[in-house]
Amino acid sequence: MSSTLYIVPTPIGNLEDITYRALSVLRKVNLIAAEDTRHTSLLLNHFSINTPLFVFHAYNEKKRVPVLLSKLRLGHAVALVSDAGTPLINDPGYCLVRSCCLLGVRVVPLPGACAAITALSASGLPTNRFCFEGFLPSRQRVRINYLRKIFNETRTLIFYVSKYDMLNVLRDMVVVFGSERYVVLVRELTKMWESIYRGVLKEVLDRVEHGQISIRGEIVLVVAGYCINKQKKREEMLSMEVRYIIDLLAKELPYRRVIDLVVKICGVNKNMVYKYLLKEEI
């Protein structure tokens, strides 16, 4: 195990989800680099593991990397863990792993829990292609601009959302993605209060606003990708205002003239206006 950095996933809730191999590594390494030593101590104590802990979090990562590298180059084995799930996935560790790769230090990843993948697997949304977006920006203007940039993304989108931002994130998604975009809200995975809620954005937002969906605990939001055909159909749908204009013009003008005027004034699809005039199914 000498001169090796182990990437060790830890349970996201249920302690029984840890692997035998993870426990073996945590017992045998010389040091465990942990995001929150108090949190990790609960896990280690539960499995009677006494390996020394080393504080390694987002705020001291750059300063701590040289210390860990020196230990690794001296022949020590180090395990990197986060508070829950797989390290580096929206957690500290990139600088350390990148440095190890550049210096030729062996890096061994262990498979294990990851909230994003666990939520995706139960979402009912396409899993063959997806994007992990982590936490959205906390400032509304920046968040809305970010959502606009990924509006046309056709892959399934996965977000982590804090309970403090949940309402605002859903409201901004309705504004940018539209009220009919399908989402799956997954909370407290593997824990006693694990819950999965499915529906279009408008429905999920309404249930959250009325307290029908709890937003306490850890939340993963899985969002359907942009669907070109459905979006095009929605864009072609005639609003009540456009239908009102068509009805008024049709009382005074020939259908051909009505179609030309409505297309110019409202910018809608010509065929949709024609079908509406003929009372066909739109």
Side-chain angles (χ1 to χ4, degrees), residues 253-265:
L253 301 170
Y255 280 4
R256 181 174 294 181
R257 183 62 177 153
V258 172
I259 293 171
D260 290 340
L261 286 173
V262 172
V263 170
K264 288 180 181 179
I265 296 170

Side-chain angles (χ1 to χ4, degrees), residues 11-229:
I12 56 177
N14 192 323
L15 295 181
E16 297 301 314
D17 289 335
I18 199 163
T19 66
Y20 288 118
R21 186 183 176 200
L23 292 176
S24 176
V25 168
L26 292 176
R27 287 192 176 98
K28 293 178 180 179
V29 293
N30 302 104
L31 194 68
I32 299 173
E35 194 175 0
D36 185 333
T37 55
R38 294 167 300 179
H39 186 92
T40 302
S41 291
L42 297 176
L43 174 69
L44 299 183
N45 291 337
H46 181 81
F47 291 103
S48 301
I49 298 173
N50 301 310
T51 307
L53 289 168
F54 180 86
V55 180
F56 184 81
H57 49 66
Y59 303 103
N60 71 0
E61 182 174 3
K62 290 184 178 180
K63 292 182 179 180
R64 293 291 202 169
V65 165
V67 179
L68 288 174
L69 286 175
S70 65
K71 293 181 181 296
L72 286 163
R73 299 180 80 175
L74 286 172
H76 291 189
V78 176
L80 174 65
V81 301
S82 60
D83 286 348
T86 302
L88 279 81
I89 309 302
N90 225 87
D91 282 322
Y94 170 75
C95 290
L96 176 60
V97 172
R98 179 63 177 165
S99 298
C100 287
C101 293
L102 292 173
L103 294 173
V105 176
R106 186 178 179 221
V107 179
V108 176
L110 274 65
C114 176
I117 300 302
T118 306
L120 174 66
S121 68
S123 68
L125 289 169
T127 58
N128 58 322
R129 298 176 69 246
F130 58 89
C131 297
F132 174 65
E133 297 293 338
F135 286 96
L136 284 164
S138 57
R139 292 174 57 191
Q140 185 182 35
R141 186 172 66 177
V142 181
R143 181 168 60 239
I144 287 179
N145 287 336
Y146 187 88
L147 290 172
R148 284 173 177 163
K149 290 179 181 178
I150 59 174
F151 172 80
N152 291 321
E153 176 57 66
T154 58
R155 293 172 290 184
T156 301
L157 301 164
I158 308 172
F159 301 91
Y160 287 163
V161 188
S162 75
K163 60 182 179 180
Y164 306 106
D165 294 331
M166 190 73 250
L167 264 175
N168 290 329
V169 165
L170 287 173
R171 288 167 180 162
D172 290 344
M173 283 186 173
V174 168
V175 171
V176 178
F177 292 158
S179 60
E180 298 303 309
R181 184 77 72 98
Y182 189 81
V183 298
V184 182
L185 191 156
V186 185
R187 61 177 292 271
E188 293 294 83
L189 277 167
T190 78
K191 302 172 187 174
M192 182 182 296
W193 304 110
E194 176 181 289
S195 307
I196 301 177
Y197 304 96
R198 301 177 175 86
V200 297
L201 273 168
K202 183 180 179 181
E203 294 170 350
V204 174
L205 173 59
D206 185 66
R207 293 180 68 187
V208 170
E209 287 179 328
H210 288 85
Q212 296 171 354
I213 294 179
S214 172
I215 54 174
R216 294 180 181 178
E218 304 293 328
I219 299 174
V220 181
L221 195 62
V222 188
V223 182
Y226 173 82
C227 181
I228 297 174
N229 292 333

